[in-house]
Amino acid sequence: HSFWGEQGQAAFRGVADADSTCAMAYWGLALNYWGNPFVGGVSGDNLRQGAAAAARAQALGAPTARERGLLAALGALYRDFATVPNPPRLQAYSDTLARVYRAHPDDPEVAMYYALSLVATAAATDTTFARQKRAAEILNPLFQAHPEHPGLAHYIIHANDSPGLAALGLDAARRYAQIAPSAPHAQHMPSHIFIRLGLWDETIAANQRSFQAGVDYARARQLRGVAPEQFHALDYMVYGYLQEGRDSAARRAVADGLALTSMLSSDAL
């Protein structure tokens, strides 16, 4: 729920290794390959591997109507992936999840995935933010009931990630980082709300934590280099510094990013 691809891959792969007949393990792998639903979908090897995992999940089947509904939505997400572009398949995924949600309105996980799909398929030209508001209507009561759930905090932020709605996501933004303290994306994501509201100190601090979480993760696993999330954090950090007129701090952050880029380039050689 915090878009942490490395951890998600390992978790679902562990389930599949323990029980190769578990369709939901391959469902999780397929969604993990799809990744962040706000970046236009996947391509190349990730798309092929995601489609293969989705096909494996559907071939195995599932014993409950809820699971079969989630597998049907996954099938819509990857169906005809070689010829049909990502956006219509993402829309088909959302439409299928709508039916699963109607059949299981009290299931928090179904509700979360459906709400996220509403935001991910909202038209950029819709200034009424109808789909985002509908997503928030679904998520807000669940967040009251499950205040420690990372998915609820995360997706409420996405639902309110626009100037006119941002204040409605401030509580979730301030709580998300505490819910998932080691996840780099969870540390960054609150700044989507902070930056909309001009909360520059909080924007900077959030992305400092995000950057450091990525460093800590790499060091703990003795990994070289950095994740894209760290460059994303630096980008937002620089913007926050510039809004406060802290040009020297902005230059240092840019220098850090350039140093990381040079290190990655040398590693590639």
Side-chain angles (χ1 to χ4, degrees):
H1 282 299
S2 291
F3 295 174
W4 200 349
E6 298 92 343
Q7 293 286 59
Q9 175 82 3
F12 285 112
R13 179 58 63 190
V15 176
D17 289 344
D19 181 2
S20 62
T21 68
C22 177
M24 299 311 291
Y26 297 97
W27 167 85
L29 285 170
L31 283 186
N32 197 73
Y33 278 119
W34 184 270
N36 186 332
F38 298 100
V39 297
V42 294
S43 61
D45 195 49
N46 274 1
L47 181 58
R48 289 188 291 273
Q49 291 194 65
R56 178 72 180 274
Q58 290 182 288
L60 286 169
T64 69
R66 169 187 180 265
E67 290 174 325
R68 290 193 294 271
L70 291 172
L71 292 180
L74 183 68
L77 184 63
Y78 281 101
R79 187 172 297 118
D80 299 324
F81 71 94
T83 56
V84 178
N86 284 327
R89 289 187 284 106
L90 182 59
Q91 184 63 59
Y93 169 74
S94 181
D95 293 343
T96 307
L97 281 177
R99 294 191 288 274
V100 183
Y101 177 64
R102 286 195 294 269
H104 305 278
D106 298 323
D107 188 301
E109 294 295 315
V110 169
M112 270 180 267
Y113 280 108
Y114 174 50
L116 178 63
S117 78
L118 284 173
V119 183
T121 55
T125 54
D126 180 14
T127 56
T128 70
F129 300 106
R131 291 176 81 83
Q132 292 94 329
K133 290 176 180 177
R134 174 58 182 145
E137 288 175 358
I138 294 169
L139 296 169
N140 285 329
L142 288 172
F143 196 37
Q144 294 298 316
H146 307 281
E148 298 300 315
H149 198 299
L152 293 168
H154 187 183
Y155 305 152
I156 287 171
I157 293 170
H158 276 298
N160 292 290
D161 191 5
S162 59
L165 301 176
L168 301 175
L170 186 57
D171 177 60
R174 286 179 168 154
R175 291 162 64 183
Y176 184 25
Q178 299 172 15
I179 294 170
S182 63
H185 190 71
Q187 298 305 308
H188 157 76
M189 195 64 211
S191 64
H192 280 242
I193 296 296
F194 300 153
I195 210 165
R196 299 287 192 185
L197 299 175
L199 301 173
W200 307 120
D201 284 345
E202 289 185 74
T203 297
I204 293 164
N207 287 286
Q208 288 172 335
R209 290 193 299 269
S210 177
F211 184 85
Q212 189 60 47
V215 170
D216 293 344
Y217 177 73
R219 284 176 177 168
R221 287 153 185 80
Q222 298 183 325
L223 303 174
R224 284 192 60 80
V226 293
E229 190 72 46
Q230 290 175 269
F231 288 104
H232 195 47
L234 285 172
D235 182 25
Y236 271 67
M237 204 186 304
V238 167
Y239 188 74
Y241 284 135
L242 291 175
Q243 292 299 314
E244 292 189 332
R246 299 168 63 184
D247 292 359
S248 295
R251 288 192 188 95
R252 285 195 298 272
V254 170
D256 289 342
L258 291 172
L260 290 171
T261 302
S262 297
M263 181 183 70
L264 291 176
S265 298
S266 63
D267 286 350
L269 296 174

